[in-house]
Amino acid sequence: MANLMSSIADVIYFDNNATTPLAPEVCHAINTACVNAFANPSSASVIGKAAKKLIIESRSEIAQMINADFTDIIFTSGGTESNNWVVYSAIKYYYSKMSEKVSPNDFKSVPLPHIVTTEVEHDAMIEPIQKLVEEGKAQASFIAVDPKTGSIDLEDVLRVLKEETVLVSVMLSNNETGAIFPVAEIMQRVKAASKEYGNCFCHTDAAQSIGKMKIDVKKLNVDYLTIVGHKFYGPRIGALYVNKPGEKTPLPPLFFGGNQERGFRSGTENTPMIVGLGAAARLVNENLELYRNHMYQMKMLLHDKLVEMFETGSERPCVFFNHPNVTDQSNCLVNTISVAFYDPEWKSFTASAVLNNLSKVVASAGAACHSQQHNDSSAVTTPSRVLISCGVEEHIALRTIRLSVGRQTTAADIEEAVVQLYSAVSMAAQTKI
Ligand SMILES: Cc1ncc(COP(=O)(O)O)c(C=O)c1O
């Protein structure tokens, strides 16, 4: 076991989109809460009240981070739960509204609720929707990405809206390519267009955006927003922003029991992790610009070094950046590079072969949750569905590695990583599979 454990100091960690290390301040806050705030926050005792106070403080930091009202933040187990809950809420709302309007005899003629989302959402959004479609409980439109921009076209969203559209969900930024989507503009137009039909709720999955860009739920015009702690140096829990839950925006409970979270999510609160999430939010509130600038500087250095190392000399392996505007801060996340390595003769090595040759650099060949399905990463032979949807050709997608820098990345890391990458690519090109 000891051999498997390596600290962040032993590796050059370019997999921050998969998960970030815990910030030391977050670790400290969690440890302290484990010891000092162990009491049940529902207990009327002094120590119970102290735990409750910490939860209140944490909720306030998270609300501040996205310019939300304090009461609009509900703690969840993470992004998967938050996204699934949004889908469930919208569908349940639709069916309960319809049952008020239509007699049971006529219910069969009611159109299925319609969900609009993009082809490149995380599986935690795509899968619950697909499941409902397969079960005949919903219909869905998956909007394709425009390869020229790396984003979706607003008109494509507006074109598919209909009376029974109950949810539009567009991620704020993509976990693989780093593409930033114009969510504020899309949702403003969706809200205006769907006014005549009734309620269509708007959601954005901000898992990859928090801590990398300024987020304001009011400007984004969303009813729901997904928050994931382990993507911004926090613990592995999450939260869901809901615009006036139960009043303006539906949020039917998934769990029933002790009525915690005002009855929306029963279960004794996980105080230490909630405190950790609050500490992570506080760091973002205090230092966002500093973090952004640092990550962008590191990303630019990485980009320039990759170009310098790989593109000078036609005999050498080359790089291809998958995002059309990879260095543009307003269109691509400040920390993400999705890059394919190849040699001019298109020798058949995949990203997995390159990753296997890296001794110190940690990166992934797409979303981490997919790599995990293959115990041996050399077995990855299917290209990422996200890259294919973005118009990336299959042979490029198969050679793509995601490099996501972080707050802890240094210029020395980048110098060393690029040299390692070059030799890993050269080795892979020589061996072939
Ligand atoms: C965009 C996005 N949404 C949702 C999730 C799901 O988060 P979790 O696996 O922590 O539930 C992730 C995690 O990779 C993600 O990148």
Side-chain angles (χ1 to χ4, degrees):
M1 185 67 185
N3 290 345
L4 289 176
M5 303 290 282
S6 60
S7 86
I8 188 86
D10 299 331
V11 296
I12 298 173
Y13 190 70
F14 286 169
D15 209 11
N16 290 281
N17 285 10
T19 205
T20 48
L22 284 179
E25 295 87 341
V26 171
C27 259
H28 178 73
I30 292 173
N31 286 339
T32 311
C34 281
V35 177
N36 296 341
F38 65 90
N40 192 317
S42 300
S43 143
S45 65
V46 180
I47 51 173
K49 281 183 185 151
K52 186 157 217 138
K53 184 165 172 280
L54 288 176
I55 292 175
I56 291 172
E57 285 166 9
S58 176
R59 204 187 302 276
S60 300
E61 289 289 352
I62 295 160
Q64 187 189 331
M65 180 173 72
I66 58 170
N67 192 28
D69 294 339
F70 167 82
T71 46
D72 292 352
I73 304 295
I74 310 290
F75 292 110
T76 66
S77 62
T80 302
E81 181 185 327
S82 295
N83 285 357
N84 274 260
W85 203 358
V86 170
V87 173
Y88 172 76
S89 299
I91 296 295
K92 193 153 166 101
Y93 169 87
Y94 179 87
Y95 280 115
S96 69
K97 278 280 151 218
M98 282 300 158
S99 65
E100 282 166 19
K101 276 193 202 161
V102 181
S103 73
N105 285 348
D106 295 333
F107 213 78
K108 273 201 215 101
S109 60
V110 167
L112 291 174
H114 177 230
I115 299 175
V116 182
T117 190
T118 78
E119 279 185 359
V120 296
E121 298 295 311
H122 191 272
D123 282 348
M125 198 67 213
I126 298 266
E127 293 277 331
I129 297 172
Q130 269 172 349
K131 182 110 184 71
L132 286 167
V133 172
E134 278 161 27
E135 288 172 353
K137 293 178 183 153
Q139 47 176 327
S141 302
F142 296 94
I143 307 295
V145 168
D146 180 349
K148 288 196 285 298
T149 62
S151 178
I152 56 166
D153 188 337
L154 164 64
E155 296 302 326
D156 287 344
V157 176
L158 298 179
R159 207 170 295 125
V160 296
L161 292 180
K162 41 188 164 183
E163 204 169 332
E164 57 269 27
T165 306
V166 72
L167 178 68
V168 174
S169 177
V170 176
M171 66 196 330
L172 196 46
S173 58
N174 185 270
N175 44 310
E176 289 191 40
T177 63
I180 297 173
F181 294 89
V183 170
E185 198 188 345
I186 292 171
M187 299 314 183
Q188 186 193 26
R189 295 286 299 279
V190 166
K191 291 258 174 213
S194 62
K195 229 174 213 151
E196 55 193 280
Y197 304 143
N199 277 335
C200 166
F201 298 100
C202 296
H203 166 246
T204 191
D205 178 347
Q208 292 293 341
S209 310
I210 292 174
K212 300 173 195 160
M213 54 197 272
K214 182 94 191 121
I215 293 174
D216 181 329
V217 286
K218 296 183 176 98
K219 288 190 181 145
L220 287 172
N221 302 304
V222 289
D223 304 296
Y224 302 100
L225 181 140
T226 294
I227 298 167
V228 184
H230 70 105
K231 310 289 184 184
F232 65 105
Y233 296 77
R236 220 156 265 171
I237 63 159
L240 182 63
Y241 158 79
V242 188
N243 182 12
K244 305 278 163 294
E247 292 168 38
K248 261 182 137 170
T249 312
L251 192 68
L254 291 168
F255 309 133
F256 299 89
N259 281 319
Q260 287 84 354
E261 296 293 276
R262 289 175 290 140
F264 291 112
R265 190 177 187 274
S266 286
T268 304
E269 298 90 334
N270 188 349
T271 314
M273 295 305 141
I274 289 174
V275 168
L277 194 67
R282 187 176 315 121
L283 288 173
V284 172
N285 290 336
E286 288 169 359
N287 306 306
L288 178 63
E289 271 319 294
L290 205 78
Y291 296 152
R292 271 177 61 78
N293 289 340
H294 176 73
M295 284 190 265
Y296 186 61
Q297 259 184 31
M298 292 301 109
K299 170 177 157 168
M300 285 307 294
L301 185 63
L302 179 58
H303 174 271
D304 295 349
K305 290 278 167 198
L306 286 171
V307 171
E308 197 182 300
M309 190 79 162
F310 286 85
E311 283 197 338
T312 51
S314 54
E315 293 307 307
R316 293 173 163 197
C318 297
V319 280
F320 177 90
F321 296 101
N322 287 317
H323 194 289
N325 304 308
V326 64
T327 60
D328 173 355
Q329 283 193 57
S330 51
N331 283 303
C332 189
L333 283 176
V334 287
N335 79 322
T336 308
I337 291 181
S338 170
V339 62
F341 296 96
Y342 60 95
D343 74 13
E345 291 163 29
W346 290 107
K347 287 190 184 135
S348 55
F349 63 89
T350 63
S352 308
V354 177
L355 290 173
N356 286 343
N357 290 337
L358 291 168
S359 55
K360 210 172 162 193
V361 178
V362 176
S364 56
C369 43
H370 287 284
S371 328
Q372 197 195 321
Q373 287 161 9
H374 312 271
N375 290 334
D376 171 8
S377 58
S378 65
V380 179
T381 49
T382 47
S384 140
R385 71 163 167 83
V386 167
L387 293 179
I388 296 299
S389 298
C390 293
V392 175
E393 289 178 70
E394 190 172 323
H395 60 269
I396 294 182
L398 279 170
R399 290 168 171 83
T400 292
I401 291 178
R402 178 183 66 184
L403 302 168
S404 46
V405 301
R407 294 176 197 169
Q408 73 284 7
T409 306
T410 64
D413 284 345
I414 286 168
E415 297 281 350
E416 194 180 339
V418 173
V419 173
Q420 259 209 30
L421 275 164
Y422 188 79
S423 68
V425 171
S426 304
M427 273 163 69
Q430 276 156 25
T431 30
K432 300 188 200 172
I433 325 178

